[in-house]
Amino acid sequence: MLHFYIFLPFLAALLIGISAKRVSRIHTGWFVLPVPVVLFILFSTKMPILAEGKIVQSVANWIPSLDIQLSFYLDGLSMLFSLLITGIGSLVVLYSIFYLSKKEQLVHFYVYLLIFMGSMLGVVLSDNVFVLYTFWEFTSISSFLLIGFWFYREKSTYGAQKSMLVTVFGGLSMLGALILLSITAETNSIRTMIANRSEIIESNLFIPILILLLLGAFTKSAQFPFHSWLPDAMEAPTPVSAYLHSATMVKAGIYLVARFSLIFSGSDEFFIIVSGIGLITLCIGSFLASRQTDLKGILAYSTISQLGMIMTMLGFGTGAAALAAIFHIFNHATFKGSLFMIAGIVDHETGTRDIRRLGGLYTFMPISATLAFFGAFSMAGIPLPIFNGFLSKEMFFDSSLKLEQTSGFAGLFAEWAPILAVIGSIFTFVYSMYLVFGTFTGKAKLGQLEKKPHEAPIGMLISPIILIVFVVLVGLLPNLINEPLLAPAVASITGDFAITHLAFWHGFNTPLYMSLIVVVIGTILAFTLKKWQPIYNAIPGKFSSDYWYQSLINGLLKFSSVFTKSYMTGSLRLYTSIILVFLTASTSIFIYVTDGFKISFDDLAPVTWPEVLVGFVMAVAAIATIWMTQRIAAIIVIGVVGYGLSLLFVFFRAPDLALTQLIVETITVALFLLCFTHLPKLKKSDKKSSEKLVDFVIAASTGALLTIVAISSHSSKYFDSIAKYFVDNSYELGGGDNIVNVILVDFRGLDTLFEIAVLGLAALGIFAMIKYRDKGDMNH
Amino acid sequence: MQSSNNLILKTTTTIIVFVILAFSVNMLFSGHNAPGGGFIGGLMGAGGFLLLYISYGLQPVHRILPINFTYMIAAGLLIAVLTGAGSFLLGVPFLSHTFAYFHFPLLGKTELATAMLFDLGVYLTVIGVTMTIILSIAEDKIEREAEEGN
C-alpha cells in the first residue's frame, strides 16, 4: 500500500498537468487539495499499528540485478514526517488557493508542488538507500522549480540556482556516502545496515562515510556554512516557503541524521560534528535574524537557527535529546508554518514585507496578529506552558545539561553546550519579539504601504489557525501526540520503544532558570535593539557565507575562463605544438617506463651507395624547405623529397608504389602551383628567437621520438609477418602475379573501396567549395 | 589553359595522347600480373586528358569530349560497389572475387577475373576525381581572370 501513497502525488501531478487547463473557472488548487488530505487520513489510520511498536512495509522490484528495490517502510520517524508532509501539505494547498491568483501559472505550481510532496514522502519512507537518493534529488529539483516559480524575476532565478548548486553538491556527497555504506555493509537496505552497524563502525571507511553523509544532511538542512541558500530561496511564493523551507524539505537533512543516528550515534566524531555545527548554526542563525528587514528573511534565518537546534539535539545522542529533537521537529513545523503564512498574509494585504515600513497592523488585522503572537511566543520559548515551543526548548536545555561525554575534547565541548544553547536562545527570543512587535505594534505607517491594510480572507486564515491550534493544544496537552506519534519516532532513533511521560510543567529546575535568563536578557536586548543594531554593520562582509559562496562561484568562473583562454587561443600553431608535446611526452614516458627501447642489428639489409645518396638529397631538400623565402621555391624543393621517395621505392623493389608516388607527386606539385599563385607572398617570420627555439625543440624531439619508435618496433618483432601467405596464395586464390594489386583488389578489396570513396568525396568537396563559393553572398 | 597557337605542342599532343591513353588502359588490364592496376592507370589516363586540355584549352576539348568527370566518379564507385555486391548473388561474403580461364578466338587463353571489374571501378573513379579537381580549379581561375579583365 505504501507504494500507492508515494506515487499518488506523482499520478495526481500527471493528471493535473494534462487536464487542469480545461477547467479554468475553478482554481486548480481545489483539485489538488484532496490528495494530501486523503494521504493524511490514510497515514493517520496506521498510527495504532505503530503505537504497538510494529512497522508497516511493502516491497516491489525495481532493478533486481543491482539489488535496488522499491522497498518502503513506515516506522515512527517516517510516520512523523509523513504526517507533517501531508498535513502541512494540505494546509499549504488550501492557503495557496487563496494566496495565488488565477492569473498565475497554477498548473506549473501545483505540478511542482505535487512532485515535491511525492518525492518527500519517498525520502522519508524509503528503505533502499539508492531509492532514497533518487527521491532526495527529486526534492532538490522540484524545490529548484518552485523557488524559480516567478522565473522572470532575477532574484528568483538567482535563489533557485544557488539552492540547486548547494543542495545538489550535498546530494552528490551523500550519494558517495551511501555507496560507501552499501559497500561496507554489503546491503542496500537501511534497516539491515542498522542491524549490522558494528561492521560499519569498525570499518576504516567510517569517517569518510560520516563526513560525506553529513555534508548531504547539512546542505539540505541549511546548516553552517551552507545556510546561505535558504534566505535566497525566500523569493519563492510564500506557500512554498512555508511548506518546503520551514516544515519539510529543510528537515530532510534532519531526517537523514535521525535515520542513520542508530549507526553513528555514540561516536565522538558524530557528536562533535553534528552538535558542534548545530550549535554554531543555532547561534549564527539567530544572531543574524535580527539584522534582516524582510519578514521572510527573518523567518529564513530563524529556520536556520531552529534547524541547528534540532541538529544539536540529534548529535547529543541521548534518549532525552532524541525525544526533544522529535518533539521540536513537530513544534517547529507548526509554528514556523503558521508564521510564514502570516508573513504571506501581511505581504498580500499591505504589498510589502519590509519590516521598516510595517508597524501597527494590530488594529487592521487582529486575527493575523493574534496568530502571529502565538507563533512567535512559541518560537521564542516564552515560559508559559501553553506554547509547545517552550516545552521542547526546556527539553533542549535539559538534555544539554545531562550530556554524558566526559573525556577529551568531546567532554570539554559538552561543558560548553548549555552555555551556547542559552546564547542561541537569547537571540531567538530577540528576533521573535523583533518580528511580531515590529510588524504589529507601534505606529502604522500607512503612507508607505501600497495598499490599505485589511484582514485577510477567511480562506487564507484557516491554515494558520489550525497550526496555532496545534501549537496551543500540544502546549497544553503534550501527551496527546506523545504516545501515538513521538514515542514510536524516538524508538526509531534510539532503538528501544519506551514511552516517556511528557510533563506539562517541570517545576522549578535548572532548565526553567535557563529559560528565565533567556527571557530577561532577551527582553533587555529586544528593547535596546535599535541601540545595538549598528553592531551588524561592523561585521565585515567577508564573514558572511554569502560572500564566500559568491567569491567561490566568481572565482570558479574566472579561473575556468582564464584557464580555457590560456590554451584555447584559436592559434592552430599552438594546438599543433600542444598535440606534439603531449604525443612526445606521453610516448617517451611510456617507452621509458616499460623499457620499450630496443635496438638490434640483426635482419638488416645491406646499405647501398645510391640509397645513401638519395636519402642525403631528400634530407637536404627537406631541411632546405624551412629557409625558402618563396612559396614556389618551397613547393619545388618539397617535390625533390617526393621524387626521391619514389626512387627509394624503386630501390626497395616496389614498382607499383614507385609509379603511384611519381604520378601523385607530380599532380600534387601541379596543384600546389595552381593554388599557391593566389596566395600572398610569404611573410618573413616575425617570431622571436626564443619562440623559434621552442619550435625547434618540439620538432626535433618529435622527430627523435618517431625515429626511436621506428627503430624499436623494427628491432622487436614478436611474430612472423603474414606476407608469406599473400606471396604463396596470390596466384592460387587471386589469379594474379602482381601481389600488390591482388591484395588491393582481392584480399583487402574493402580498403580500396573506401579509399576510392574518400577520393570521390574529396573531389566533390573541392568541386562544391569552388562552384558554390559565392552563392552565400548572392542570397543576401 | 587557354588555347594558344602553339603548333608543335598541338601536333605532338595529338600523337602522344593516344600513346598515353593506350598505356593507361594497358596498365589497367595488365595490373593483375604486372606492375600497374586501376589506380596508376587512372592517374595516367587523367594525365593524358590533362595534356589535351593544356594544349587545346578548356572549351575545344569539352566540345570534342563531352565527358562529365563528376559523373565518372559516381560511375566508378557504383561499379566497385556492385562488383562487391554481386558476390551476394552466389551466396558468398561481400567483395569475394573469382577468376577463370577462357579460350577466345584471336586472344587465345585469357584470364577473366571479377577483380578486374573492381579495378575498372577504381580506374574510373581516379580519373573522375583527378579531372574534377583540376578542372574545377582551372575553370574557376579562368572565370576569375575574365571577371577581373572586365
Side-chain angles (χ1 to χ4, degrees):
Chain A
M1 274 316 280
L2 290 175
H3 290 86
F4 170 72
Y5 295 177
I6 289 165
F7 289 106
L8 182 68
F10 290 102
L11 202 65
L14 198 66
L15 287 177
I16 298 273
I18 294 167
S19 58
K21 277 200 173 147
R22 311 232 167 121
V23 231
S24 55
R25 275 188 303 160
I26 307 167
H27 197 286
T28 317
W30 290 114
F31 300 106
V32 178
L33 189 56
V35 176
V37 173
V38 165
L39 283 176
F40 182 78
I41 295 167
L42 287 173
F43 276 118
S44 310
T45 57
K46 304 280 184 204
M47 275 213 274
I49 304 177
L50 298 187
E52 292 166 19
K54 294 175 188 161
I55 63 165
V56 184
Q57 59 181 334
S58 65
V59 180
N61 265 337
W62 185 20
I63 315 174
S65 57
L66 297 177
D67 189 26
I68 294 179
Q69 293 162 325
L70 288 175
S71 50
F72 299 114
Y73 74 112
L74 185 69
D75 65 350
L77 190 64
S78 311
M79 172 60 98
L80 172 73
F81 275 93
S82 304
L83 288 181
L84 285 181
I85 293 160
T86 51
I88 297 191
S90 316
L91 298 177
V92 161
V93 170
L94 180 68
Y95 175 79
S96 68
I97 291 172
F98 295 92
Y99 185 83
L100 291 171
S101 86
K102 280 205 250 172
K103 286 173 198 153
E104 304 275 6
Q105 287 178 312
L106 291 175
V107 176
H108 290 203
F109 181 81
Y110 287 110
V111 166
Y112 301 158
L113 199 71
L114 283 170
I115 292 175
F116 172 78
M117 194 183 287
S119 23
M120 198 64 210
L121 283 176
V123 167
V124 299
L125 292 171
S126 294
D127 180 41
N128 192 297
V129 287
F130 296 110
V131 176
L132 174 97
Y133 173 73
T134 310
F135 284 115
W136 183 278
E137 291 298 18
F138 261 121
T139 64
S140 290
I141 293 167
S142 49
S143 159
F144 167 76
L145 290 169
L146 283 166
I147 297 169
F149 178 62
W150 288 312
F151 54 85
Y152 39 83
R153 295 185 191 169
E154 202 182 325
K155 275 184 151 181
S156 295
T157 49
Y158 174 78
Q161 188 201 39
K162 190 173 184 178
S163 75
M164 184 78 165
L165 285 176
V166 175
T167 53
V168 169
F169 161 73
L172 287 175
S173 1
M174 188 185 93
L175 178 63
L178 296 180
I179 292 171
L180 291 180
L181 266 177
S182 77
I183 292 171
T184 318
E186 289 170 351
T187 172
N188 289 343
S189 151
I190 296 175
R191 287 191 302 149
T192 324
M193 281 175 192
I194 290 172
N196 305 341
R197 62 171 172 269
S198 55
E199 277 175 39
I200 299 166
I201 295 170
E202 283 155 19
S203 89
N204 45 11
L205 287 174
F206 177 73
I207 296 291
I209 290 173
L210 181 68
I211 289 173
L212 288 175
L213 195 75
L214 288 180
L215 265 180
F218 287 170
T219 49
K220 198 75 161 183
S221 284
Q223 299 295 296
F224 178 83
F226 309 109
H227 60 270
S228 78
W229 68 267
L230 189 61
D232 282 308
M234 289 302 127
E235 294 302 322
T238 303
V240 173
S241 311
Y243 188 37
L244 273 68
H245 305 129
S246 70
T248 53
M249 188 181 95
V250 288
K251 293 207 175 93
I254 302 275
Y255 168 80
L256 196 73
V257 173
R259 177 54 85 207
F260 284 99
S261 66
L262 260 184
I263 298 178
F264 298 117
S265 127
S267 80
D268 277 357
E269 292 89 354
F270 180 79
F271 168 68
I272 290 173
I273 298 176
V274 176
S275 295
I277 294 286
L279 278 173
I280 293 172
T281 314
L282 165 65
C283 294
I284 286 186
S286 58
F287 178 63
L288 289 176
S290 312
R291 182 190 201 174
Q292 307 303 314
T293 53
D294 179 7
L295 287 187
K296 278 170 83 177
I298 301 172
L299 289 172
Y301 276 99
S302 139
T303 305
I304 292 170
S305 93
Q306 302 275 328
L307 292 170
M309 177 173 149
I310 300 171
M311 206 56 106
T312 313
M313 293 189 270
L314 287 175
F316 287 166
T318 57
L323 177 63
I326 290 293
F327 193 31
H328 200 69
I329 289 172
F330 178 86
N331 295 344
H332 176 248
T334 53
F335 64 68
K336 190 53 64 68
S338 67
L339 283 174
F340 264 112
M341 289 175 184
I342 289 157
I345 289 173
V346 169
D347 184 18
H348 206 264
E349 306 306 336
T350 64
T352 183
R353 294 196 314 248
D354 191 334
I355 200 161
R356 289 167 300 186
R357 289 159 66 188
L358 295 168
L361 292 177
Y362 194 89
T363 47
F364 298 100
M365 23 179 62
I367 304 174
S368 309
T370 316
L371 296 175
F373 274 104
F374 274 96
F377 284 5
S378 175
M379 180 159 77
I382 301 267
L384 283 177
I386 59 162
F387 301 116
N388 58 5
F390 163 66
L391 294 179
S392 48
K393 180 150 291 183
E394 289 285 274
M395 289 155 74
F396 171 47
F397 287 151
D398 192 35
S399 56
S400 75
L401 287 168
K402 289 179 185 161
L403 284 175
E404 287 157 7
Q405 307 283 346
T406 47
S407 62
F409 183 69
L412 195 70
F413 176 72
E415 281 175 28
W416 277 87
I419 300 170
L420 285 171
V422 169
I423 293 174
S425 302
I426 289 173
F427 284 105
T428 306
F429 186 89
V430 173
Y431 72 71
S432 302
M433 297 306 117
Y434 169 60
L435 178 75
V436 280
F437 285 100
T439 313
F440 292 105
T441 62
K443 245 182 84 183
K445 303 161 194 162
L446 294 182
Q448 293 186 33
L449 299 179
E450 288 164 26
K451 304 174 188 168
K452 187 166 167 20
H454 58 83
E455 189 54 84
I458 183 67
M460 257 170 135
L461 288 169
I462 294 174
S463 303
I465 288 174
I466 293 175
L467 286 172
I468 292 298
V469 164
F470 267 103
V471 168
V472 177
L473 204 61
V474 172
L476 287 173
L477 306 163
N479 285 309
L480 199 65
I481 60 163
N482 182 20
E483 233 169 277
L485 198 58
L486 302 185
V490 172
S492 10
I493 297 181
T494 56
D496 47 80
F497 189 87
I499 296 174
T500 322
H501 190 74
L502 284 183
F504 166 75
W505 176 252
H506 286 88
F508 291 96
N509 51 14
T510 327
L512 185 71
Y513 297 134
M514 284 163 85
S515 275
L516 289 175
I517 294 171
V518 167
V519 172
V520 172
I521 300 180
T523 315
I524 296 168
L525 284 178
F527 271 111
T528 55
L529 182 65
K530 286 264 160 14
K531 296 219 174 73
W532 59 269
Q533 221 167 16
I535 284 182
Y536 288 118
N537 301 331
I539 307 169
K542 279 192 180 180
F543 287 115
S544 83
S545 133
D546 269 326
Y547 173 84
W548 288 107
Y549 167 81
Q550 204 50 55
S551 21
L552 185 71
I553 296 288
N554 291 346
L556 213 59
L557 288 177
K558 203 172 168 192
F559 169 74
S560 45
S561 143
V562 167
F563 182 69
T564 311
K565 276 181 187 160
S566 70
Y567 69 96
M568 297 300 269
T569 55
S571 151
L572 294 179
R573 203 176 262 270
L574 180 66
Y575 299 162
T576 316
S577 311
I578 291 173
I579 292 169
L580 288 180
V581 166
F582 183 76
L583 173 86
T584 313
S586 57
T587 318
S588 333
I589 290 169
F590 184 77
I591 288 177
Y592 180 76
V593 169
T594 59
D595 200 14
F597 179 70
K598 283 208 182 79
I599 186 158
S600 90
F601 295 97
D602 312 333
D603 194 24
L604 289 181
V607 183
T608 61
W609 277 109
E611 287 166 14
V612 173
L613 194 67
V614 172
F616 179 72
V617 170
M618 283 169 73
V620 168
I623 293 171
T625 319
I626 303 168
W627 276 283
M628 291 296 138
T629 48
Q630 280 185 319
R631 284 180 208 278
I632 305 284
I635 292 161
I636 289 167
V637 176
I638 279 279
V640 171
V641 180
Y643 290 124
L645 187 62
S646 76
L647 254 182
L648 282 184
F649 283 143
V650 172
F651 292 150
F652 297 149
R653 288 177 298 162
D656 294 87
L657 284 184
L659 273 172
T660 314
Q661 171 66 27
L662 197 67
I663 303 175
V664 167
E665 185 61 37
T666 311
I667 290 178
T668 322
V669 168
L671 280 177
F672 272 151
L673 290 175
L674 207 56
C675 301
F676 278 30
T677 51
H678 293 295
L679 292 176
K681 277 192 178 170
L682 266 180
K683 269 193 289 184
K684 193 140 174 68
S685 167
D686 50 358
K687 285 185 132 190
K688 286 181 213 144
S689 51
S690 62
E691 288 171 319
K692 278 185 182 167
L693 187 68
V694 171
D695 285 356
F696 172 75
V697 169
I698 292 173
S701 49
T702 311
L705 173 83
L706 291 180
T707 312
I708 287 172
V709 169
I711 291 174
S712 305
S713 58
H714 184 266
S715 307
S716 44
K717 280 178 182 155
Y718 293 107
F719 40 79
D720 290 334
S721 152
I722 58 163
K724 195 168 182 308
Y725 173 81
F726 293 126
V727 175
D728 291 346
N729 293 299
S730 162
Y731 189 80
E732 301 278 310
L733 298 175
D737 285 330
N738 182 349
I739 300 166
V740 173
N741 191 261
V742 170
I743 291 174
L744 281 181
V745 299
D746 197 336
F747 289 126
R748 308 288 304 270
L750 201 65
D751 293 359
T752 313
L753 181 62
F754 284 102
E755 273 157 26
I756 58 174
V758 166
L759 282 179
L761 280 177
L764 290 182
I766 290 171
F767 183 79
M769 276 201 300
I770 290 170
K771 295 283 177 189
Y772 301 107
R773 182 179 47 203
D774 294 326
K775 278 283 168 67
D777 299 321
M778 277 152 70
N779 289 343
H780 281 294
Chain B
M1 291 192 191
Q2 272 155 319
S3 77
S4 62
N5 200 19
N6 195 332
L7 195 65
I8 298 174
L9 180 65
K10 285 183 179 176
T11 317
T12 36
T13 299
T14 43
I15 302 162
I16 287 177
V17 159
F18 287 103
V19 176
I20 294 176
L21 288 180
F23 184 55
S24 126
V25 173
N26 174 54
M27 277 210 158
L28 166 67
F29 282 112
S30 66
H32 222 47
N33 291 304
F39 200 84
I40 308 168
L43 283 173
M44 197 63 83
F49 285 117
L50 265 185
L51 186 59
L52 268 184
Y53 278 99
I54 288 171
S55 12
Y56 289 97
L58 284 178
Q59 295 301 330
V61 178
H62 200 70
R63 226 177 295 130
I64 307 163
L65 287 173
I67 305 168
N68 189 332
F69 288 105
T70 319
Y71 289 169
M72 206 184 251
I73 303 175
L77 283 173
L78 202 65
I79 289 172
V81 172
L82 287 180
T83 312
S87 53
F88 287 141
L89 294 177
L90 301 170
V92 284
F94 186 65
L95 270 176
S96 304
H97 290 301
T98 182
F99 62 92
Y101 296 93
F102 295 97
H103 282 281
F104 289 107
L106 286 177
L107 291 172
K109 186 188 170 192
T110 309
E111 180 197 4
L112 286 185
T114 49
M116 188 65 239
L117 278 174
F118 185 76
D119 236 3
L120 183 69
V122 176
Y123 180 79
L124 291 179
T125 313
V126 169
I127 295 188
V129 165
T130 318
M131 293 311 292
T132 304
I133 294 174
I134 291 177
L135 288 184
S136 306
I137 295 172
E139 280 172 14
D140 182 63
K141 206 180 168 193
I142 290 166
E143 277 172 26
R144 284 194 152 200
E145 279 163 5
E147 277 172 28
E148 280 161 21
N150 293 341

